[in-house]
Every structure is written in C-alpha cells, then in structure tokens.
Amino acid sequence: MKTGQTNIDTDWAWSAYQPEQPQDWTQRQVAHFYRRCGLGANPEMLKAGLQKSPVELAVGQISNRQESAQVEQESATLARSVLATADAKNLPAWWTHRLLNTSVPLQEKMTLFWHGHFATGAEKVKDAQLMFDQNQILREYALGNFGRLVHEISQDPAMLLYLDSASNRKVHPNENFAREIMELFVLGEGNYSETDIRELARCFTGWEIRRDRFYFNRFQHDFDEKTIFSHSGKFTGEEGVDLVLEHPAGPEFIVGKLIQFFIADEGLQDPQLIKPLAQKFRNSGLEVGPLLETMLASNLFYSEYAQGRKIRSPVDFAVGFLNSLEGSTNLLELNKGLDEIGQRLFYPPNVKGWEGGRIWINSSTLLARTNLMQSLLKRDETRFGQGSLSEYCKSHGVTTTKEAVDWFAELLLAVPLNDHKQSEIVQRCEMIDGSYETKLKNLLGLIVSLPEYQLA
C-alpha cells in the first residue's frame, strides 16, 4: 500500500458532501456511489438515488442489511444444489448469482472485501461446506463489529485449515495464523516483532477441528506464561486475539485498506488523512458501519481524487456490467471468464488476497476482458431485463444508435467520453451490417473494451 503526503485538508475531506445546487447532484454521481458501494446500478436505482441526498444514500445502504426473502430463498436453493455436489469449484456460481440479485449491494460488496482481506482458498481447504460457512460469517459481520469478525474468523474451520492452525500443538507451535493475524488481518507490517509472533502462536495451541467445527483441545494447549506487546500472562487464544485488536496500529491499517477499496487505488494513504477516521473507528469500538457512513458520504468520496481513480476488478467489470443493464447469463461460463481475467471467487491467489489496482490490467488480461464481454454478448442465455438488448433499450426510450451511445456511457462509464470518441463509436456501429440488435451488441462491446470502462 502506497504512502505519501496528499496535502488534502482533512476537515474538508471527511465532511459530508452537500451539493450547492440541486443540479449539482447528478445521475453520474449516483452511479459512482453504486459502482463503489455495490456492483453497478440499473436505471431505476439511479433515478431513486437522485431523490436522496448523499448522506441519505450512504446511510440507507449501511442500514440495509436484510436480504429480500426472494433472494434468500433462491440463494438457499442454489446453495443446496451446489453443496450436494461437495465440489467447492461450484461455489463461485452460487455467489455470483447472489451478487447479481442482491437487494443489499453494500453488504455483498463488503463481504467481497472481507473475502479478499481474510483470504482463504478452496484450492487448499477443498471442503465446499466449510468455505460456504466462512462466506456466511463474512456476510453476517460485513458491516458490523470488526473485532467480533476477527474472533469469528480466528476459530473458523476453513481458516484453521488454510493457515495450518488446526495442527498447532504446544510442543511445536505453528506460527502461520499468528503471523497473518498481525501482518495481514489487523495490524500491517512493522507493528510487531518475531517474538510477538512466536508468543501469540503459543496462545492458539490446542485449537483444532472436530466434526467440521472448532474444538479446543486443552491437552495440546500451552498454559504457561506468554509475553505479547510487552504484556505478560497465561493468555488463551481469545485473549491473544484481544491483545492484537487492542494494538493502536489496527484502526489505521483497516481504514487505509477501506480507503483503497472504496475511494482510490493509489495516492490517499497519507497518515494525516487516515488519522481522523482511524480515531472514529477506535472510538466506536471498531464498528464498521459508522466508519463507512463518514467515508461514503464525504467530500473526498465524490471528489476528483476518487471518481475514476480505481481500476475495476474482474467482478466489478463483469457483474457490474450485468447489474447496470439488468442482465443475466450462464453463471458457470461467466465464472470461467472471471477466472481467466484474474478473479476466481473462493480461490484467492494467496493469503494476501487479490492485490488489485494496476495488477488487474496487462496486455493479457485486457484481451481476456474483451473476449469475456464478446462471448457474454453473443451467448443466447444472456438477457437484458429478461428480454433482448434492443427491447430493453426501447423500454427506456432509447431507439437510435446515437441515443444508445449516450445512454450506455452514462450508465457504465466513470469517465465521460469526449464528443470525438462518441461520434467515432456511432460511426463504427452504423457501418456494421445487421439488425439493430446486432448493432447494439457491437456498440456495447466497443464501449466495454474502452480504457474508460476499465475505471470505476
């Protein structure tokens, strides 16, 4: 994560954004909110968002944590089918279905954030039920208390298996989980010593899995005194987690990661910018909701420092596209494509998760992104509003190629197209032989291959 001075006034940065005039609050800004705080928004969501203030929009999404009964029912039915196969490779399609249909987009986006933060891979864990159960924990605490989430994930069977903590014995403590809870999960590098790691590992001795559940084996636990961060005592594993959570570096580390995830990939890691939010996070007892309320309604969030300053992850790239146009498609094929462009859900590349930012983009992944969209648009199963693309556009009053370019650009792009590029796209589409449906699909294919669409 990059550091550096930004010279941004912190009082201005974290004050609530208040448009000076009604016309200053635009659909493009609402679309920006939903690209960051969800996975895109369809035209109806954008129109509804315009009727709310920036603060109301953020508060509404943060307080909206109860998935609709219909989505829960569909998700549960699909989950039963996936888990019956006992193959974790089918889990990405289940989660993608939820991402495409959720009524609580910010909760799902935060579940995705925590999945990358507490990265656990099915390649090693293999057990589909354990990976599914961990995903449910991440969702339950997605917008809740970070400390509670850390405690839950510390005793989660999938995590215990992934970091070899289930074989942690007093005669030979395994340091993997102790290291990662400090370095990657709570504190960040440089805020602990190797001695702290060794001593913390002793706290977790005897943590095992029996019948796919956490089990404490007291006969394998080291009950002797340990010293962590200059504190000494016969600490248990739970007390060891608390010591890590009480370390002053934790709030700064988590706030920095959330700024990078929601606001900008680079350039906003100035300690002075992070400090006020970290203090708010600390004072709240590590509650995520109030922290995000400030962050996602702020001047900084809607400023030039944020808009178009993130590179779309593969999930943002493809799922965001479908969500914006009420699209549906073959989920197994979609996830094959996501894997090819670098993000296979439930299969992070390593314990650090997906690094994101510029790592998403290279000559190979750019070509793969274009190919994914082309195959998605050509596939018979791909529908828009349960119908054809031309029917969907017509239902929104879009009947010409020129109108379609304007409409798609407004819905999909974080960075506006200049007049020359818009005219060029229209001309290229008009030269294509075929039906209006064919022209529209080629038009969409052109727009999502643009550099502007890679930005969020």
Coordinates of all heavy atoms in Angstrom, one line a residue, residues 331-397:
L331 N -24.0 -18.6 -15.5 CA -23.1 -18.3 -14.4 C -21.9 -19.1 -14.4 O -20.8 -18.6 -14.0 CB -23.9 -18.4 -13.1 CG -25.0 -17.4 -12.9 CD1 -25.6 -17.6 -11.5 CD2 -24.6 -16.0 -13.1
L332 N -21.9 -20.4 -14.9 CA -20.7 -21.2 -14.9 C -19.8 -20.7 -15.9 O -18.6 -20.6 -15.7 CB -21.1 -22.6 -15.2 CG -21.9 -23.4 -14.1 CD1 -22.3 -24.8 -14.6 CD2 -21.0 -23.5 -12.9
E333 N -20.3 -20.3 -17.1 CA -19.4 -19.7 -18.1 C -18.9 -18.3 -17.7 O -17.7 -18.0 -18.0 CB -20.2 -19.6 -19.5 CG -20.6 -20.9 -20.1 CD -19.3 -21.7 -20.4 OE1 -18.4 -21.1 -21.0 OE2 -19.3 -22.9 -20.2
L334 N -19.7 -17.6 -17.1 CA -19.3 -16.2 -16.6 C -18.1 -16.4 -15.6 O -17.1 -15.7 -15.7 CB -20.4 -15.5 -15.9 CG -20.1 -14.2 -15.2 CD1 -19.6 -13.2 -16.2 CD2 -21.3 -13.6 -14.5
N335 N -18.2 -17.4 -14.7 CA -17.1 -17.6 -13.8 C -15.8 -18.1 -14.4 O -14.7 -17.9 -13.9 CB -17.6 -18.4 -12.6 CG -18.3 -17.6 -11.6 OD1 -17.7 -16.9 -10.7 ND2 -19.7 -17.6 -11.6
K336 N -16.0 -18.9 -15.4 CA -14.8 -19.3 -16.2 C -14.1 -18.1 -16.7 O -12.8 -18.0 -16.7 CB -15.2 -20.2 -17.3 CG -15.5 -21.6 -16.9 CD -15.9 -22.5 -18.1 CE -16.4 -23.9 -17.7 NZ -16.8 -24.7 -18.9
G337 N -14.8 -17.1 -17.2 CA -14.3 -15.9 -17.8 C -13.6 -15.1 -16.7 O -12.6 -14.5 -16.9
L338 N -14.3 -15.0 -15.5 CA -13.7 -14.2 -14.4 C -12.4 -14.8 -14.0 O -11.4 -14.1 -13.6 CB -14.7 -14.2 -13.2 CG -15.9 -13.4 -13.4 CD1 -16.9 -13.6 -12.2 CD2 -15.6 -11.9 -13.6
D339 N -12.3 -16.1 -14.0 CA -11.0 -16.8 -13.6 C -9.9 -16.4 -14.6 O -8.8 -16.1 -14.2 CB -11.3 -18.3 -13.7 CG -10.1 -19.1 -13.1 OD1 -9.2 -18.5 -12.6 OD2 -10.1 -20.4 -13.3
E340 N -10.3 -16.4 -15.9 CA -9.3 -16.0 -16.9 C -8.8 -14.6 -16.8 O -7.7 -14.3 -17.2 CB -9.9 -16.3 -18.3 CG -10.1 -17.8 -18.6 CD -10.9 -18.0 -19.9 OE1 -11.2 -17.0 -20.6 OE2 -11.1 -19.1 -20.3
I341 N -9.6 -13.7 -16.3 CA -9.1 -12.3 -16.2 C -8.7 -12.0 -14.7 O -8.4 -10.8 -14.4 CB -10.2 -11.3 -16.6 CG1 -11.5 -11.4 -15.8 CG2 -10.5 -11.5 -18.1 CD1 -12.5 -10.3 -16.2
G342 N -8.5 -13.1 -13.9 CA -7.8 -12.9 -12.7 C -8.5 -12.9 -11.3 O -7.9 -12.6 -10.3
Q343 N -9.8 -13.2 -11.3 CA -10.5 -13.2 -10.0 C -11.5 -14.4 -10.0 O -12.6 -14.3 -10.5 CB -11.2 -11.9 -9.8 CG -11.7 -11.8 -8.3 CD -12.2 -10.4 -8.0 OE1 -12.7 -9.7 -8.9 NE2 -12.1 -10.0 -6.7
R344 N -11.1 -15.4 -9.4 CA -11.9 -16.6 -9.2 C -12.4 -16.6 -7.7 O -11.6 -16.8 -6.8 CB -11.1 -17.9 -9.5 CG -12.0 -19.1 -9.5 CD -11.0 -20.3 -9.8 NE -11.7 -21.6 -9.8 CZ -11.1 -22.8 -9.8 NH1 -9.8 -22.8 -9.7 NH2 -11.8 -23.9 -9.9
L345 N -13.7 -16.3 -7.5 CA -14.2 -16.3 -6.1 C -14.0 -17.6 -5.4 O -14.1 -18.7 -6.0 CB -15.7 -15.9 -6.2 CG -16.1 -14.6 -6.8 CD1 -17.6 -14.4 -6.9 CD2 -15.5 -13.4 -5.9
F346 N -13.6 -17.5 -4.1 CA -13.3 -18.6 -3.3 C -11.9 -19.2 -3.6 O -11.4 -20.1 -2.9 CB -14.3 -19.8 -3.4 CG -15.7 -19.4 -2.8 CD1 -16.7 -19.0 -3.6 CD2 -15.9 -19.5 -1.4 CE1 -17.9 -18.6 -3.0 CE2 -17.1 -19.2 -0.9 CZ -18.1 -18.7 -1.7
Y347 N -11.2 -18.6 -4.5 CA -9.9 -19.1 -4.9 C -8.9 -17.9 -5.0 O -8.3 -17.6 -6.1 CB -9.9 -19.8 -6.2 CG -10.6 -21.2 -6.1 CD1 -12.0 -21.2 -6.3 CD2 -9.9 -22.4 -5.9 CE1 -12.6 -22.5 -6.2 CE2 -10.6 -23.6 -5.9 CZ -11.9 -23.6 -6.0 OH -12.6 -24.8 -5.9
P348 N -8.7 -17.1 -3.9 CA -7.7 -16.0 -4.0 C -6.3 -16.6 -4.3 O -6.1 -17.8 -3.9 CB -7.8 -15.4 -2.6 CG -8.4 -16.5 -1.7 CD -9.3 -17.3 -2.6
P349 N -5.4 -15.8 -4.9 CA -4.1 -16.3 -5.3 C -3.2 -16.8 -4.1 O -2.4 -17.7 -4.3 CB -3.5 -15.2 -6.1 CG -4.2 -14.0 -5.6 CD -5.6 -14.4 -5.3
N350 N -3.4 -16.2 -3.0 CA -2.6 -16.5 -1.8 C -3.2 -15.8 -0.6 O -4.3 -15.2 -0.7 CB -1.1 -16.0 -2.0 CG -1.0 -14.6 -2.4 OD1 -1.6 -13.7 -1.7 ND2 -0.4 -14.3 -3.5
V351 N -2.6 -15.9 0.6 CA -3.1 -15.4 1.8 C -3.3 -13.9 1.8 O -4.0 -13.3 2.6 CB -2.3 -15.9 3.0 CG1 -0.9 -15.2 3.1 CG2 -3.0 -15.7 4.3
K352 N -2.6 -13.2 0.9 CA -2.7 -11.8 0.8 C -3.9 -11.4 0.0 O -4.2 -10.2 -0.1 CB -1.4 -11.2 0.1 CG -0.2 -11.3 1.0 CD 1.0 -10.6 0.3 CE 2.3 -10.7 1.2 NZ 3.4 -10.1 0.6
G353 N -4.6 -12.3 -0.6 CA -5.7 -12.0 -1.4 C -5.4 -11.4 -2.8 O -4.2 -11.5 -3.2
W354 N -6.3 -10.7 -3.4 CA -6.1 -10.0 -4.7 C -5.5 -8.6 -4.4 O -6.1 -7.8 -3.7 CB -7.3 -9.9 -5.5 CG -7.9 -11.2 -5.9 CD1 -7.5 -12.0 -6.9 CD2 -9.0 -12.0 -5.2 NE1 -8.2 -13.1 -7.0 CE2 -9.1 -13.2 -6.0 CE3 -9.8 -11.8 -4.1 CZ2 -10.1 -14.1 -5.6 CZ3 -10.7 -12.7 -3.8 CH2 -10.9 -13.9 -4.5
E355 N -4.3 -8.4 -4.9 CA -3.7 -7.1 -4.7 C -4.5 -5.9 -5.3 O -4.6 -4.8 -4.7 CB -2.3 -7.1 -5.2 CG -1.5 -5.8 -4.8 CD 0.0 -5.9 -5.2 OE1 0.4 -7.1 -5.4 OE2 0.6 -4.9 -5.4
G356 N -5.1 -6.1 -6.4 CA -6.0 -5.1 -7.0 C -5.2 -4.0 -7.7 O -4.0 -4.1 -7.9
G357 N -5.9 -2.9 -8.0 CA -5.3 -1.8 -8.7 C -4.7 -2.1 -10.0 O -5.3 -2.9 -10.8
R358 N -3.5 -1.7 -10.3 CA -2.9 -1.8 -11.6 C -2.6 -3.3 -11.9 O -2.4 -3.7 -13.1 CB -1.6 -1.0 -11.7 CG -1.8 0.5 -11.5 CD -0.5 1.2 -11.5 NE -0.6 2.6 -11.2 CZ -0.2 3.6 -11.9 NH1 0.5 3.4 -13.0 NH2 -0.4 4.8 -11.5
I359 N -2.5 -4.1 -10.9 CA -2.3 -5.6 -11.1 C -3.4 -6.2 -12.0 O -3.1 -7.2 -12.7 CB -2.2 -6.3 -9.7 CG1 -1.0 -5.7 -8.9 CG2 -2.0 -7.8 -9.9 CD1 0.3 -5.8 -9.5
W360 N -4.6 -5.6 -11.9 CA -5.6 -6.2 -12.7 C -5.4 -6.1 -14.2 O -5.9 -6.9 -15.0 CB -7.0 -5.5 -12.4 CG -7.6 -5.7 -11.1 CD1 -8.0 -4.7 -10.2 CD2 -7.9 -7.0 -10.4 NE1 -8.5 -5.3 -9.0 CE2 -8.4 -6.7 -9.1 CE3 -7.7 -8.3 -10.7 CZ2 -8.8 -7.6 -8.2 CZ3 -8.1 -9.3 -9.8 CH2 -8.7 -9.0 -8.6
I361 N -4.6 -5.1 -14.6 CA -4.5 -4.8 -16.0 C -3.1 -5.0 -16.6 O -2.1 -4.6 -16.1 CB -4.8 -3.3 -16.2 CG1 -6.3 -2.9 -15.8 CG2 -4.6 -2.9 -17.7 CD1 -7.3 -3.6 -16.7
N362 N -3.1 -5.8 -17.7 CA -1.9 -6.0 -18.5 C -2.4 -6.4 -19.9 O -3.6 -6.6 -20.1 CB -1.0 -7.1 -17.9 CG -1.6 -8.4 -17.7 OD1 -2.3 -9.0 -18.6 ND2 -1.5 -8.9 -16.5
S363 N -1.5 -6.6 -20.8 CA -1.9 -6.9 -22.2 C -2.7 -8.2 -22.3 O -3.7 -8.3 -23.1 CB -0.7 -7.0 -23.1 OG 0.2 -8.0 -22.6
S364 N -2.4 -9.2 -21.4 CA -3.1 -10.4 -21.5 C -4.6 -10.3 -20.9 O -5.5 -10.7 -21.5 CB -2.4 -11.5 -20.7 OG -3.1 -12.7 -20.6
T365 N -4.7 -9.6 -19.7 CA -6.0 -9.5 -19.1 C -6.9 -8.5 -19.9 O -8.1 -8.7 -19.9 CB -5.9 -9.1 -17.6 OG1 -5.2 -7.8 -17.6 CG2 -5.2 -10.1 -16.8
L366 N -6.3 -7.5 -20.5 CA -7.1 -6.6 -21.3 C -7.8 -7.4 -22.5 O -9.0 -7.2 -22.8 CB -6.3 -5.5 -21.9 CG -6.1 -4.3 -21.0 CD1 -5.1 -3.3 -21.6 CD2 -7.4 -3.6 -20.7
L367 N -7.0 -8.2 -23.2 CA -7.5 -9.0 -24.3 C -8.6 -10.0 -23.7 O -9.7 -10.2 -24.3 CB -6.4 -9.8 -24.9 CG -6.9 -10.7 -26.1 CD1 -7.6 -10.0 -27.2 CD2 -5.6 -11.5 -26.6
A368 N -8.3 -10.6 -22.6 CA -9.3 -11.6 -22.0 C -10.5 -10.9 -21.6 O -11.6 -11.4 -21.7 CB -8.6 -12.3 -20.8
R369 N -10.4 -9.6 -21.1 CA -11.7 -8.8 -20.7 C -12.5 -8.6 -22.0 O -13.8 -8.8 -21.9 CB -11.3 -7.5 -20.1 CG -10.8 -7.6 -18.7 CD -10.4 -6.2 -18.1 NE -10.0 -6.4 -16.7 CZ -10.4 -5.6 -15.7 NH1 -11.1 -4.5 -16.0 NH2 -10.0 -5.8 -14.4
T370 N -11.9 -8.2 -23.1 CA -12.7 -8.0 -24.3 C -13.3 -9.3 -24.8 O -14.5 -9.3 -25.1 CB -11.7 -7.5 -25.4 OG1 -11.2 -6.2 -25.0 CG2 -12.5 -7.3 -26.7
N371 N -12.6 -10.4 -24.7 CA -13.1 -11.7 -25.1 C -14.3 -12.2 -24.2 O -15.2 -12.7 -24.7 CB -12.0 -12.8 -25.1 CG -11.0 -12.5 -26.2 OD1 -11.2 -11.9 -27.2 ND2 -9.8 -13.1 -26.0
L372 N -14.1 -11.9 -22.9 CA -15.2 -12.3 -22.0 C -16.5 -11.5 -22.4 O -17.6 -12.1 -22.4 CB -14.8 -12.0 -20.6 CG -15.9 -12.0 -19.5 CD1 -16.5 -13.4 -19.4 CD2 -15.4 -11.6 -18.1
M373 N -16.4 -10.2 -22.6 CA -17.6 -9.5 -22.9 C -18.2 -9.9 -24.3 O -19.4 -9.9 -24.4 CB -17.3 -8.0 -22.9 CG -17.2 -7.4 -21.5 SD -18.8 -7.5 -20.6 CE -18.4 -6.5 -19.2
Q374 N -17.3 -10.1 -25.2 CA -17.8 -10.6 -26.5 C -18.6 -11.9 -26.4 O -19.6 -12.0 -27.0 CB -16.6 -10.7 -27.5 CG -15.9 -9.4 -27.9 CD -16.8 -8.5 -28.7 OE1 -17.9 -8.8 -29.2 NE2 -16.5 -7.2 -28.7
S375 N -18.0 -12.8 -25.7 CA -18.7 -14.1 -25.6 C -20.0 -14.0 -24.8 O -21.0 -14.6 -25.1 CB -17.8 -15.1 -24.9 OG -17.5 -14.7 -23.6
L376 N -20.0 -13.1 -23.8 CA -21.2 -12.8 -23.0 C -22.3 -12.2 -23.8 O -23.5 -12.7 -23.8 CB -20.8 -11.9 -21.8 CG -21.8 -11.6 -20.7 CD1 -21.1 -11.3 -19.4 CD2 -22.8 -10.5 -21.1
L377 N -21.9 -11.3 -24.7 CA -22.9 -10.6 -25.5 C -23.5 -11.5 -26.6 O -24.6 -11.4 -27.1 CB -22.3 -9.4 -26.2 CG -22.1 -8.2 -25.2 CD1 -21.2 -7.1 -25.8 CD2 -23.5 -7.6 -24.8
K378 N -22.6 -12.5 -27.1 CA -23.1 -13.4 -28.2 C -23.9 -14.6 -27.6 O -24.6 -15.2 -28.4 CB -21.8 -13.9 -28.9 CG -21.1 -12.9 -29.7 CD -19.9 -13.5 -30.4 CE -19.1 -12.4 -31.2 NZ -17.8 -13.0 -31.7
R379 N -23.8 -14.8 -26.3 CA -24.4 -16.0 -25.8 C -25.9 -15.9 -25.8 O -26.5 -14.9 -25.3 CB -23.9 -16.2 -24.3 CG -24.2 -17.6 -23.8 CD -23.4 -17.8 -22.5 NE -22.0 -17.8 -22.7 CZ -21.1 -17.1 -22.0 NH1 -21.5 -16.3 -21.1 NH2 -19.8 -17.2 -22.3
D380 N -26.6 -16.9 -26.2 CA -28.1 -16.9 -26.2 C -28.7 -16.7 -24.8 O -29.8 -16.1 -24.7 CB -28.7 -18.2 -26.8 CG -28.4 -18.3 -28.3 OD1 -28.1 -17.2 -29.0 OD2 -28.4 -19.4 -28.9
E381 N -28.0 -17.3 -23.8 CA -28.6 -17.2 -22.4 C -28.5 -15.7 -21.9 O -29.2 -15.5 -20.9 CB -27.8 -18.1 -21.5 CG -27.9 -19.5 -21.8 CD -26.5 -20.0 -22.5 OE1 -26.0 -19.3 -23.4 OE2 -26.0 -21.0 -22.0
T382 N -27.7 -14.9 -22.4 CA -27.6 -13.5 -21.9 C -28.8 -12.7 -22.3 O -29.1 -12.5 -23.5 CB -26.3 -12.8 -22.5 OG1 -25.2 -13.6 -22.1 CG2 -26.2 -11.4 -21.9
R383 N -29.5 -12.2 -21.3 CA -30.7 -11.4 -21.4 C -30.6 -10.1 -20.7 O -29.8 -10.0 -19.8 CB -31.9 -12.2 -20.9 CG -32.1 -13.6 -21.4 CD -32.2 -13.7 -22.9 NE -33.6 -13.4 -23.3 CZ -33.9 -13.2 -24.6 NH1 -33.0 -13.3 -25.5 NH2 -35.1 -12.9 -24.9
F384 N -31.3 -9.1 -21.1 CA -31.3 -7.8 -20.5 C -32.8 -7.5 -20.1 O -33.6 -7.4 -21.0 CB -30.8 -6.8 -21.5 CG -29.3 -7.1 -21.8 CD1 -29.0 -7.8 -23.0 CD2 -28.3 -6.6 -21.0 CE1 -27.7 -8.1 -23.3 CE2 -27.0 -6.9 -21.3 CZ -26.7 -7.6 -22.5
G385 N -33.0 -7.4 -18.8 CA -34.4 -7.2 -18.4 C -35.3 -8.3 -18.8 O -36.4 -8.1 -19.2
Q386 N -34.7 -9.5 -18.9 CA -35.4 -10.8 -19.3 C -35.8 -10.8 -20.8 O -36.6 -11.6 -21.2 CB -36.7 -11.0 -18.4 CG -36.3 -11.1 -17.0 CD -37.6 -11.4 -16.1 OE1 -38.7 -11.2 -16.5 NE2 -37.4 -11.9 -14.9
G387 N -35.2 -9.9 -21.6 CA -35.5 -9.9 -23.0 C -34.3 -9.6 -23.8 O -33.1 -9.7 -23.3
S388 N -34.5 -9.1 -25.0 CA -33.3 -8.8 -25.9 C -32.8 -7.4 -25.5 O -33.5 -6.6 -24.8 CB -33.8 -8.8 -27.3 OG -34.6 -7.7 -27.6
L389 N -31.6 -7.1 -26.0 CA -31.0 -5.8 -25.7 C -31.8 -4.7 -26.3 O -32.0 -3.6 -25.7 CB -29.5 -5.8 -26.1 CG -28.7 -4.5 -25.9 CD1 -28.7 -4.2 -24.4 CD2 -27.3 -4.6 -26.4
S390 N -32.2 -4.9 -27.5 CA -33.0 -3.8 -28.2 C -34.3 -3.6 -27.5 O -34.8 -2.4 -27.4 CB -33.2 -4.2 -29.7 OG -33.8 -5.5 -29.8
E391 N -35.0 -4.6 -27.0 CA -36.2 -4.5 -26.3 C -36.0 -3.7 -25.0 O -36.8 -2.8 -24.6 CB -36.9 -5.8 -26.0 CG -37.4 -6.5 -27.2 CD -37.8 -8.0 -27.0 OE1 -37.3 -8.5 -26.0 OE2 -38.5 -8.5 -27.8
Y392 N -34.9 -4.0 -24.4 CA -34.6 -3.4 -23.1 C -34.3 -1.9 -23.3 O -34.8 -1.0 -22.6 CB -33.3 -4.0 -22.4 CG -33.0 -3.5 -21.1 CD1 -33.8 -3.7 -20.0 CD2 -31.9 -2.7 -20.9 CE1 -33.5 -3.2 -18.7 CE2 -31.5 -2.1 -19.7 CZ -32.3 -2.4 -18.6 OH -32.0 -1.9 -17.4
C393 N -33.5 -1.6 -24.3 CA -33.3 -0.2 -24.7 C -34.5 0.6 -25.0 O -34.8 1.7 -24.5 CB -32.3 -0.1 -25.8 SG -30.6 -0.6 -25.4
K394 N -35.4 0.0 -25.8 CA -36.6 0.6 -26.2 C -37.5 0.9 -25.0 O -38.2 1.9 -24.9 CB -37.4 -0.3 -27.2 CG -38.6 0.3 -27.8 CD -39.3 -0.6 -28.8 CE -40.5 0.1 -29.4 NZ -41.2 -0.8 -30.4
S395 N -37.5 0.0 -24.0 CA -38.3 0.2 -22.8 C -37.9 1.4 -22.0 O -38.6 1.9 -21.2 CB -38.3 -1.1 -21.9 OG -37.0 -1.2 -21.3
H396 N -36.6 1.9 -22.3 CA -36.1 3.0 -21.6 C -36.0 4.2 -22.6 O -35.3 5.2 -22.3 CB -34.7 2.7 -21.0 CG -34.8 1.8 -19.8 ND1 -35.1 2.3 -18.6 CD2 -34.6 0.5 -19.7 CE1 -35.1 1.3 -17.7 NE2 -34.8 0.2 -18.4
G397 N -36.8 4.2 -23.7 CA -36.8 5.3 -24.6 C -35.6 5.5 -25.5 O -35.4 6.5 -26.1

